[in-house]
């Protein structure tokens, strides 16, 4: 299967790198383009055999599956470039949440899917979220699922839950590193431990925690119970954590508010001329 990437910025290059380093794709299968061509030329040097396309049309002409890895409001320009070349049997995969499957299928005369990756996929870990358009055949679904299972634990979701699922899978690493950073800063401020030492200890704790969660036997609830000795120190610390109140409710409220604004902008981008 020949695979194309349009947009090799942060996420496009992470995906491409991860597919190659996991052995899921060979560089010779890949054609990529980017608005600023230097980025894609660099990738072709890093991965000999990868084709650095001169434009987006070349990617479409040389690929059966095409990942579009640009920001939401950059899609229209990409679609204008590729529509003359796209064929019904090709599959276009968007990696961004506010581009809806129904819009992909309305805009493009081909098959469409949406996959939301995570930065954790760069180390072949974490989940990815998959949604298929109506035109995807069973073998397309299987191929995409297989591809992502080489770099992640893929989960097919309903599009209605794209935002909350992406918040957990894709924004989650930023949220959790922020919390960990606050944990470290507080340790330094309250006790005078060095930042380096606190960072080392916290990072090792998180690595071990992730291992425990992924390998079992603990779920989150039992893990807390095992550490929480009645009347002990952990309980005293947890009592302060109760103070976070509804902060995570607010996180999801904020992301959904921004998402709804993005959806409106995307709709305007695609349909303003047709209204
Ligand atoms: N970052 C994450 O963890 C993550 C996770 C899941 C999904 N996503 C989604 O992935 C999308 C891309 O995010 P990102 O962080 O990778 O953004 P980014 O670093 O800005 O990458 C976008 C790339 O697309 C290129 N581009 C823009 N318009 C183009 C066009 N017409 N033709 C060809 N290339 C074009 C840009 O080229 P230039 O070099 O000229 O700017 C840039 O390199 C976003 O919608 C985001 O929601 C991101």
């Amino acid at each position: 299967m020949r695979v194309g990437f349009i947009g090799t910025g942060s996420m496009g290059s992470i995906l491409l790198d991860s597919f190659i380093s996991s052995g899921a794709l060979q560089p010779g299968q890949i054609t990529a383009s980017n608005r600023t061509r230097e980025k894609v030329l660099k990738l072709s040097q890093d991965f000999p055999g990868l084709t650095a396309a001169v434009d987006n049309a070349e990617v479409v002409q040389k690929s059966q599956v095409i990942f579009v890895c640009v920001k939401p409001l950059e899609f229209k320009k990409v679609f204008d470039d590729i529509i003359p070349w796209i064929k019904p049997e090709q599959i276009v995969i968007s990696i961004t949440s506010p581009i809806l499957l129904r819009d992909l299928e309305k805009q493009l005369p081909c098959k469409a899917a949406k996959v939301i990756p995570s930065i954790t996929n760069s180390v072949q870990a974490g989940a990815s979220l998959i949604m298929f358009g109506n035109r995807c055949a069973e073998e397309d679904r299987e191929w995409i699922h297989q591809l992502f299972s080489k770099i992640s634990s893929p989960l097919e979701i309903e599009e209605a839950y794209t935002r909350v699922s992406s918040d957990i899978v894709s924004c989650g690493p930023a949220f959790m590193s922020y919390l960990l950073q606050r944990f470290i800063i507080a340790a330094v401020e309250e006790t005078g431990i060095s930042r380096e030492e606190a960072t080392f200890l916290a990072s090792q704790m998180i690595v071990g925690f992730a291992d425990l969660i992924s390998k079992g036997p603990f779920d989150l609830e039992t893990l807390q119970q095992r550490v929480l000795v009645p009347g002990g120190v952990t309980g005293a610390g947890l009592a302060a954590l109760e103070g976070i109140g509804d902060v995570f409710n607010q996180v999801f409220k904020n992301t959904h508010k921004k998402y709804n604004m993005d959806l409106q902008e995307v709709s305007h981008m695609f349909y303003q001329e047709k209204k």
Side-chain angles (χ1 to χ4, degrees), residues 212-255:
L212 271 179
I213 292 296
S214 62
K215 294 180 183 153
F218 302 115
D219 57 28
L220 294 175
E221 190 105 17
T222 46
L223 202 140
Q224 280 175 51
Q225 283 162 5
R226 288 297 293 267
V227 182
L228 193 68
V229 179
V233 170
T234 309
L238 271 177
L241 282 178
E242 293 292 336
I244 69 166
D246 67 353
V247 69
F248 280 109
N249 298 66
Q250 199 53 51
V251 165
F252 291 115
K253 283 191 174 102
N254 284 4
T255 58

Short mmCIF file of all heavy atoms in Angstrom, two decimals, residues 212-255:
data_model
loop_
_atom_site.label_atom_id
_atom_site.label_comp_id
_atom_site.label_asym_id
_atom_site.label_seq_id
_atom_site.Cartn_x
_atom_site.Cartn_y
_atom_site.Cartn_z
N LEU A 212 2.16 -0.23 36.11
CA LEU A 212 1.18 -0.89 36.99
C LEU A 212 -0.21 -0.91 36.38
O LEU A 212 -0.92 -1.90 36.40
CB LEU A 212 1.08 -0.14 38.33
CG LEU A 212 2.02 -0.53 39.45
CD1 LEU A 212 1.76 0.36 40.65
CD2 LEU A 212 1.83 -1.99 39.84
N ILE A 213 -0.59 0.25 35.81
CA ILE A 213 -1.92 0.37 35.21
C ILE A 213 -2.04 -0.53 33.98
O ILE A 213 -3.06 -1.17 33.76
CB ILE A 213 -2.20 1.85 34.82
CG1 ILE A 213 -2.34 2.71 36.08
CG2 ILE A 213 -3.44 1.98 33.95
CD1 ILE A 213 -3.51 2.34 36.95
N SER A 214 -0.96 -0.57 33.18
CA SER A 214 -1.09 -1.34 31.93
C SER A 214 -0.94 -2.85 32.18
O SER A 214 -1.57 -3.64 31.51
CB SER A 214 -0.08 -0.86 30.89
OG SER A 214 1.22 -1.05 31.37
N LYS A 215 -0.12 -3.22 33.17
CA LYS A 215 0.11 -4.66 33.38
C LYS A 215 -0.77 -5.25 34.47
O LYS A 215 -0.84 -6.47 34.63
CB LYS A 215 1.58 -4.91 33.74
CG LYS A 215 2.53 -4.58 32.59
CD LYS A 215 3.97 -4.83 32.99
CE LYS A 215 4.91 -4.42 31.86
NZ LYS A 215 6.23 -4.05 32.34
N GLY A 216 -1.44 -4.38 35.24
CA GLY A 216 -2.26 -4.87 36.33
C GLY A 216 -1.38 -5.30 37.49
O GLY A 216 -0.18 -5.09 37.46
N PRO A 217 -1.91 -5.86 38.55
CA PRO A 217 -3.31 -6.24 38.73
C PRO A 217 -4.19 -5.09 39.22
O PRO A 217 -5.36 -5.32 39.51
CB PRO A 217 -3.20 -7.31 39.83
CG PRO A 217 -2.05 -6.85 40.66
CD PRO A 217 -1.10 -6.16 39.73
N PHE A 218 -3.66 -3.85 39.29
CA PHE A 218 -4.43 -2.79 39.93
C PHE A 218 -5.25 -1.97 38.95
O PHE A 218 -4.74 -1.57 37.91
CB PHE A 218 -3.49 -1.82 40.66
CG PHE A 218 -2.63 -2.48 41.69
CD1 PHE A 218 -1.26 -2.53 41.53
CD2 PHE A 218 -3.20 -3.05 42.82
CE1 PHE A 218 -0.46 -3.14 42.48
CE2 PHE A 218 -2.40 -3.65 43.78
CZ PHE A 218 -1.04 -3.71 43.61
N ASP A 219 -6.51 -1.70 39.33
CA ASP A 219 -7.20 -0.61 38.63
C ASP A 219 -7.00 0.63 39.51
O ASP A 219 -6.40 0.55 40.59
CB ASP A 219 -8.68 -0.94 38.39
CG ASP A 219 -9.42 -1.24 39.68
OD1 ASP A 219 -9.01 -0.72 40.73
OD2 ASP A 219 -10.40 -2.01 39.65
N LEU A 220 -7.51 1.78 39.05
CA LEU A 220 -7.22 3.04 39.76
C LEU A 220 -7.71 3.01 41.20
O LEU A 220 -7.04 3.48 42.12
CB LEU A 220 -7.86 4.21 39.00
CG LEU A 220 -7.26 4.48 37.62
CD1 LEU A 220 -8.03 5.58 36.90
CD2 LEU A 220 -5.78 4.86 37.71
N GLU A 221 -8.89 2.42 41.38
CA GLU A 221 -9.50 2.39 42.71
C GLU A 221 -8.67 1.53 43.68
O GLU A 221 -8.32 1.98 44.78
CB GLU A 221 -10.91 1.80 42.57
CG GLU A 221 -11.74 1.91 43.81
CD GLU A 221 -12.79 3.01 43.67
OE1 GLU A 221 -13.07 3.42 42.54
OE2 GLU A 221 -13.31 3.42 44.71
N THR A 222 -8.33 0.30 43.23
CA THR A 222 -7.59 -0.59 44.15
C THR A 222 -6.18 -0.07 44.41
O THR A 222 -5.64 -0.26 45.50
CB THR A 222 -7.54 -2.03 43.62
OG1 THR A 222 -7.20 -2.01 42.24
CG2 THR A 222 -8.83 -2.78 43.80
N LEU A 223 -5.63 0.60 43.39
CA LEU A 223 -4.29 1.16 43.58
C LEU A 223 -4.31 2.19 44.71
O LEU A 223 -3.44 2.19 45.59
CB LEU A 223 -3.84 1.80 42.28
CG LEU A 223 -2.33 1.94 42.14
CD1 LEU A 223 -1.91 1.63 40.72
CD2 LEU A 223 -1.84 3.29 42.53
N GLN A 224 -5.32 3.04 44.71
CA GLN A 224 -5.43 4.04 45.79
C GLN A 224 -5.60 3.34 47.14
O GLN A 224 -4.96 3.71 48.12
CB GLN A 224 -6.64 4.95 45.55
CG GLN A 224 -6.37 6.04 44.54
CD GLN A 224 -7.61 6.85 44.22
OE1 GLN A 224 -8.29 7.32 45.11
NE2 GLN A 224 -7.89 6.99 42.94
N GLN A 225 -6.45 2.30 47.15
CA GLN A 225 -6.69 1.60 48.42
C GLN A 225 -5.41 0.96 48.95
O GLN A 225 -5.16 0.95 50.15
CB GLN A 225 -7.77 0.53 48.24
CG GLN A 225 -9.17 1.12 48.19
CD GLN A 225 -10.17 0.17 47.58
OE1 GLN A 225 -9.85 -0.99 47.27
NE2 GLN A 225 -11.39 0.65 47.39
N ARG A 226 -4.57 0.43 48.04
CA ARG A 226 -3.34 -0.24 48.47
C ARG A 226 -2.32 0.73 49.07
O ARG A 226 -1.57 0.39 49.97
CB ARG A 226 -2.69 -0.99 47.29
CG ARG A 226 -3.44 -2.23 46.87
CD ARG A 226 -3.48 -3.29 47.97
NE ARG A 226 -2.18 -3.83 48.24
CZ ARG A 226 -1.69 -4.93 47.68
NH1 ARG A 226 -2.44 -5.61 46.84
NH2 ARG A 226 -0.49 -5.37 47.96
N VAL A 227 -2.30 1.95 48.54
CA VAL A 227 -1.33 2.93 49.04
C VAL A 227 -1.85 3.63 50.31
O VAL A 227 -1.09 4.03 51.18
CB VAL A 227 -0.98 3.96 47.94
CG1 VAL A 227 0.06 4.96 48.42
CG2 VAL A 227 -0.47 3.26 46.69
N LEU A 228 -3.18 3.71 50.36
CA LEU A 228 -3.83 4.49 51.41
C LEU A 228 -3.96 3.68 52.71
O LEU A 228 -4.94 2.99 52.92
CB LEU A 228 -5.22 4.90 50.90
CG LEU A 228 -5.99 5.95 51.67
CD1 LEU A 228 -5.32 7.32 51.53
CD2 LEU A 228 -7.41 6.05 51.10
N VAL A 229 -2.95 3.82 53.57
CA VAL A 229 -3.03 3.16 54.88
C VAL A 229 -3.95 4.01 55.76
O VAL A 229 -3.73 5.22 55.87
CB VAL A 229 -1.62 3.07 55.53
CG1 VAL A 229 -1.69 2.40 56.90
CG2 VAL A 229 -0.66 2.35 54.61
N PRO A 230 -4.97 3.38 56.40
CA PRO A 230 -5.88 4.20 57.22
C PRO A 230 -5.12 5.02 58.27
O PRO A 230 -4.25 4.49 58.96
CB PRO A 230 -6.80 3.15 57.87
CG PRO A 230 -6.73 1.97 56.96
CD PRO A 230 -5.35 1.97 56.37
N GLY A 231 -5.46 6.29 58.33
CA GLY A 231 -4.80 7.18 59.29
C GLY A 231 -3.38 7.56 58.90
O GLY A 231 -2.66 8.17 59.70
N GLY A 232 -2.95 7.23 57.69
CA GLY A 232 -1.56 7.47 57.28
C GLY A 232 -1.35 8.77 56.53
O GLY A 232 -2.25 9.60 56.40
N VAL A 233 -0.15 8.88 55.99
CA VAL A 233 0.29 10.12 55.33
C VAL A 233 -0.42 10.35 54.00
O VAL A 233 -0.78 11.48 53.66
CB VAL A 233 1.83 10.04 55.11
CG1 VAL A 233 2.32 11.16 54.24
CG2 VAL A 233 2.55 10.03 56.44
N THR A 234 -0.64 9.26 53.21
CA THR A 234 -1.26 9.44 51.89
C THR A 234 -2.65 10.06 52.04
O THR A 234 -3.02 10.96 51.27
CB THR A 234 -1.38 8.07 51.16
OG1 THR A 234 -0.11 7.45 51.18
CG2 THR A 234 -1.85 8.24 49.73
N GLY A 235 -3.40 9.59 53.06
CA GLY A 235 -4.74 10.13 53.30
C GLY A 235 -4.69 11.61 53.59
O GLY A 235 -5.53 12.39 53.12
N ALA A 236 -3.66 12.02 54.37
CA ALA A 236 -3.53 13.45 54.70
C ALA A 236 -3.30 14.26 53.42
O ALA A 236 -3.87 15.34 53.24
CB ALA A 236 -2.37 13.64 55.68
N GLY A 237 -2.49 13.72 52.52
CA GLY A 237 -2.25 14.41 51.24
C GLY A 237 -3.49 14.42 50.37
O GLY A 237 -3.84 15.45 49.76
N LEU A 238 -4.18 13.28 50.30
CA LEU A 238 -5.38 13.19 49.46
C LEU A 238 -6.46 14.16 49.91
O LEU A 238 -7.22 14.68 49.08
CB LEU A 238 -5.94 11.76 49.49
CG LEU A 238 -5.38 10.78 48.44
CD1 LEU A 238 -5.98 9.39 48.64
CD2 LEU A 238 -5.67 11.26 47.01
N ALA A 239 -6.52 14.41 51.21
CA ALA A 239 -7.53 15.35 51.72
C ALA A 239 -7.36 16.71 51.04
O ALA A 239 -8.35 17.38 50.70
CB ALA A 239 -7.39 15.48 53.24
N ALA A 240 -6.11 17.12 50.80
CA ALA A 240 -5.87 18.40 50.11
C ALA A 240 -6.33 18.30 48.66
O ALA A 240 -6.85 19.26 48.09
CB ALA A 240 -4.39 18.76 50.19
N LEU A 241 -6.14 17.11 48.06
CA LEU A 241 -6.53 16.96 46.64
C LEU A 241 -8.04 17.06 46.44
O LEU A 241 -8.49 17.40 45.34
CB LEU A 241 -6.01 15.63 46.09
CG LEU A 241 -4.53 15.60 45.73
CD1 LEU A 241 -4.12 14.22 45.23
CD2 LEU A 241 -4.21 16.65 44.65
N GLU A 242 -8.80 16.76 47.48
CA GLU A 242 -10.27 16.92 47.36
C GLU A 242 -10.60 18.35 46.94
O GLU A 242 -11.64 18.61 46.34
CB GLU A 242 -10.96 16.62 48.71
CG GLU A 242 -10.87 15.16 49.17
CD GLU A 242 -11.66 14.21 48.28
OE1 GLU A 242 -12.61 14.68 47.65
OE2 GLU A 242 -11.31 13.02 48.23
N GLY A 243 -9.68 19.28 47.27
CA GLY A 243 -9.89 20.69 46.96
C GLY A 243 -9.95 21.00 45.47
O GLY A 243 -10.32 22.11 45.09
N ILE A 244 -9.59 20.05 44.62
CA ILE A 244 -9.63 20.37 43.17
C ILE A 244 -11.06 20.54 42.69
O ILE A 244 -11.29 21.09 41.62
CB ILE A 244 -8.87 19.35 42.28
CG1 ILE A 244 -9.58 18.00 42.22
CG2 ILE A 244 -7.44 19.21 42.68
CD1 ILE A 244 -9.04 17.12 41.09
N GLY A 245 -12.02 20.08 43.48
CA GLY A 245 -13.44 20.31 43.14
C GLY A 245 -13.78 19.86 41.73
O GLY A 245 -13.45 18.75 41.33
N ASP A 246 -14.39 20.80 40.97
CA ASP A 246 -14.86 20.42 39.63
C ASP A 246 -13.91 20.90 38.54
O ASP A 246 -14.34 21.18 37.42
CB ASP A 246 -16.28 20.95 39.40
CG ASP A 246 -16.29 22.48 39.34
OD1 ASP A 246 -15.24 23.10 39.62
OD2 ASP A 246 -17.34 23.04 39.00
N VAL A 247 -12.62 20.99 38.87
CA VAL A 247 -11.69 21.57 37.88
C VAL A 247 -11.68 20.77 36.57
O VAL A 247 -11.62 21.35 35.48
CB VAL A 247 -10.27 21.73 38.50
CG1 VAL A 247 -9.59 20.42 38.76
CG2 VAL A 247 -9.40 22.58 37.60
N PHE A 248 -11.81 19.45 36.66
CA PHE A 248 -11.80 18.66 35.40
C PHE A 248 -13.11 18.84 34.62
O PHE A 248 -13.09 18.77 33.39
CB PHE A 248 -11.49 17.19 35.67
CG PHE A 248 -10.00 16.95 35.85
CD1 PHE A 248 -9.47 16.64 37.09
CD2 PHE A 248 -9.13 17.09 34.78
CE1 PHE A 248 -8.10 16.45 37.26
CE2 PHE A 248 -7.76 16.93 34.93
CZ PHE A 248 -7.24 16.61 36.17
N ASN A 249 -14.22 19.08 35.35
CA ASN A 249 -15.46 19.41 34.62
C ASN A 249 -15.24 20.67 33.79
O ASN A 249 -15.66 20.76 32.64
CB ASN A 249 -16.62 19.65 35.59
CG ASN A 249 -16.92 18.41 36.41
OD1 ASN A 249 -16.09 18.00 37.24
ND2 ASN A 249 -18.05 17.81 36.19
N GLN A 250 -14.53 21.63 34.42
CA GLN A 250 -14.27 22.88 33.71
C GLN A 250 -13.34 22.66 32.52
O GLN A 250 -13.51 23.28 31.46
CB GLN A 250 -13.66 23.89 34.70
CG GLN A 250 -13.75 25.32 34.27
CD GLN A 250 -15.18 25.76 33.90
OE1 GLN A 250 -16.12 25.56 34.67
NE2 GLN A 250 -15.35 26.31 32.70
N VAL A 251 -12.38 21.74 32.67
CA VAL A 251 -11.48 21.41 31.55
C VAL A 251 -12.32 20.97 30.35
O VAL A 251 -12.17 21.47 29.23
CB VAL A 251 -10.48 20.29 31.95
CG1 VAL A 251 -9.80 19.69 30.73
CG2 VAL A 251 -9.43 20.83 32.92
N PHE A 252 -13.25 20.02 30.59
CA PHE A 252 -14.06 19.50 29.47
C PHE A 252 -15.03 20.55 28.94
O PHE A 252 -15.29 20.60 27.73
CB PHE A 252 -14.81 18.22 29.90
CG PHE A 252 -13.88 17.06 30.11
CD1 PHE A 252 -13.70 16.49 31.37
CD2 PHE A 252 -13.14 16.54 29.05
CE1 PHE A 252 -12.81 15.44 31.57
CE2 PHE A 252 -12.26 15.49 29.23
CZ PHE A 252 -12.09 14.93 30.49
N LYS A 253 -15.54 21.39 29.83
CA LYS A 253 -16.43 22.48 29.36
C LYS A 253 -15.64 23.40 28.42
O LYS A 253 -16.14 23.79 27.36
CB LYS A 253 -16.96 23.29 30.55
CG LYS A 253 -18.10 22.58 31.29
CD LYS A 253 -18.76 23.54 32.28
CE LYS A 253 -19.99 22.89 32.90
NZ LYS A 253 -19.78 22.39 34.25
N ASN A 254 -14.42 23.75 28.83
CA ASN A 254 -13.60 24.66 28.00
C ASN A 254 -13.26 24.05 26.65
O ASN A 254 -13.36 24.70 25.61
CB ASN A 254 -12.28 24.99 28.71
CG ASN A 254 -12.45 25.99 29.83
OD1 ASN A 254 -13.57 26.38 30.15
ND2 ASN A 254 -11.36 26.37 30.45
N THR A 255 -12.84 22.77 26.65
CA THR A 255 -12.44 22.15 25.37
C THR A 255 -13.64 22.05 24.44
O THR A 255 -13.52 22.26 23.24
CB THR A 255 -11.83 20.75 25.57
OG1 THR A 255 -12.78 19.92 26.24
CG2 THR A 255 -10.53 20.80 26.36
#
